Amino acid sequence: MMTTLALQAPGPDAAFEQGTIERRDVGEHDVLIDIAFAGICHSDIHTVRGEWGEIRYPLTPGHEIAGTVSAVGSAVTRHGVGDRVGVGCMVESCGECEQCKNGAEQFCRRGATFTYNSPDPKRGEGAITQGGYAQQIVVDERFVCRIPEGIGLDVAAPLMCAGVTTFAPLQRWGVGPGSTVAVVGMGGLGHMGVKIAAAMGAQVTVLSRSLDKADDSRELGASDHVSTKDEASMKALRGSFDVILNTVSADLDLGGLLGLLKPFGVLVNVGLPNDDYAFPPSAVIGQSKVVAGSMIGGIQETQEMLDFCAEHGIGATIEVITADEVTEAYDKVVAGDVRYRYVIDTSTIGS
């Protein structure tokens, strides 16, 4: 085993502590990555604070990882020392089931191994995976993506989750030139949805509780920004959209959102609220509308997203912070006080 400097959450309500964690030795199919930047995803916060089930502490979260390859195993063919790479939400799957073979490793029939808080038999019985708020990580080469030149590692880190989480459903539901897309929420996910949908050629409208970020929306590629509290404006949008991408992890009026869709339109949910969704059956049956969900993306899809972003000059809009600022940053993310993703400079861990 090797060790690396890392940030650890000792409990759900405690401040992050700086220390060391164990990584497995580099195996024949493994890649050792020197992490440069790690994004803070809202799901990190839900997990650390015990809002999504049982957690084993101390825990190093982080699944938006960007860095450089510093060593490879003897059988590695996909990556070499010095390559710019990223790691997202998964670090292992069976590779043999139908879903894995179809490029949907996140739905592995035997269960994907997620980047943190998952059982980690490769590091020993009872061990759990530890994530990217650290200076190094060892990952099977199959779960390491190439970050193309032209995207800075700092703005690439959030693409490993926020990027693919929005790219995958937009691609799946055929967004392209001539499409009309509404993005609900202008946060870490929403701002990426706006950038990607606009780059795909869609006409994009942001739906948000306020007009505070209207200028940002337009700068990122949206043609309009509408307050969901403005009843007249929302009424005028009825029947306007082919796709609505709901990025909000809150209990919303899905029936009202469905009314904004054209016939055959789709409402895709990527946010995960605590309570069940509710809407009348007539809201979908009447005009053959669809309510869908989407969770991250497979490894091939993640690479396609990175290549797409490089082609179109897209990176996340970020604020880089130091290791000492992470605890405070969690509270700011919950309060919506970030534009639009905090990214940790991992070189500051232990300094």
Side-chain angles (χ1 to χ4, degrees), residues 2-150:
M2 57 179 288
T3 61
T4 187
L5 291 169
L7 289 173
Q8 291 185 290
D13 303 313
F16 276 91
E17 297 177 351
Q18 300 188 40
T20 60
I21 59 174
E22 286 188 344
R23 299 296 196 193
R24 69 175 185 264
D25 292 330
V26 177
E28 62 177 353
H29 293 285
D30 288 334
V31 173
L32 174 63
I33 301 167
D34 291 342
I35 301 171
F37 297 98
I40 295 178
C41 178
H42 207 136
S43 60
D44 298 346
I45 301 172
H46 286 304
T47 302
V48 165
R49 294 185 171 177
E51 297 167 355
W52 281 357
E54 184 177 351
I55 308 301
R56 286 185 51 192
Y57 301 100
L59 177 68
T60 296
H63 57 214
E64 295 183 337
I65 300 167
T68 305
V69 175
S70 56
V72 298
S74 60
V76 169
T77 59
R78 302 185 184 189
H79 308 285
V81 172
D83 286 357
R84 304 165 75 251
V85 295
V87 176
C89 299
M90 302 173 287
V91 292
E92 192 67 69
S93 74
C94 77
E96 299 174 352
C97 71
E98 177 185 5
Q99 300 306 323
C100 287
K101 289 181 178 179
N102 288 339
E105 297 91 346
Q106 70 272 35
F107 306 129
C108 175
R109 293 291 297 273
R110 300 181 192 175
T113 298
F114 292 99
T115 308
Y116 60 86
N117 200 49
S118 276
D120 187 8
K122 288 188 175 181
R123 203 163 54 83
E125 185 176 352
I128 61 168
T129 53
Q130 302 286 351
Y133 296 8
Q135 292 189 342
Q136 289 185 308
I137 191 169
V138 178
V139 182
D140 186 290
E141 66 169 329
R142 296 183 298 122
F143 290 85
V144 177
C145 292
R146 175 183 51 84
I147 295 177
E149 295 294 335

Side-chain angles (χ1 to χ4, degrees), residues 154-230:
D154 52 354
V155 299
L159 301 182
M160 302 308 301
C161 176
V164 72
T165 294
T166 50
F167 176 86
L170 292 171
Q171 179 174 249
R172 178 183 179 189
W173 293 102
V175 170
S179 298
T180 52
V181 174
V183 176
V184 183
M186 258 290 283
L189 289 174
H191 93 284
M192 288 305 311
V194 172
K195 290 185 179 188
I196 291 171
M200 289 176 168
Q203 178 181 325
V204 183
T205 298
V206 172
L207 305 178
S208 182
R209 290 174 296 179
S210 76
L211 299 177
D212 292 349
K213 299 176 180 177
D215 289 344
D216 287 0
S217 294
R218 293 184 176 91
E219 287 179 8
L220 298 180
S223 60
D224 202 2
H225 181 115
V226 175
S227 169
T228 54
K229 295 180 180 179
D230 184 338

Side-chain angles (χ1 to χ4, degrees), residues 107 165-166 168-170 172-173 182-184 189 243-255 257-258 261 266-273 275-279 284 290-296:
F107 306 129
T165 294
T166 50
L170 292 171
R172 178 183 179 189
W173 293 102
V183 176
V184 183
L189 289 174
V243 174
I244 298 176
L245 181 67
N246 176 21
T247 70
V248 177
S249 296
D251 303 317
L252 300 180
D253 175 17
L254 291 199
L257 291 178
L258 286 164
L261 288 172
V266 57
L267 168 60
V268 187
N269 299 286
V270 296
L272 190 62
D275 295 329
D276 293 341
Y277 288 129
F279 56 89
V284 292
V290 176
V291 176
S294 185
M295 187 184 83
I296 56 173

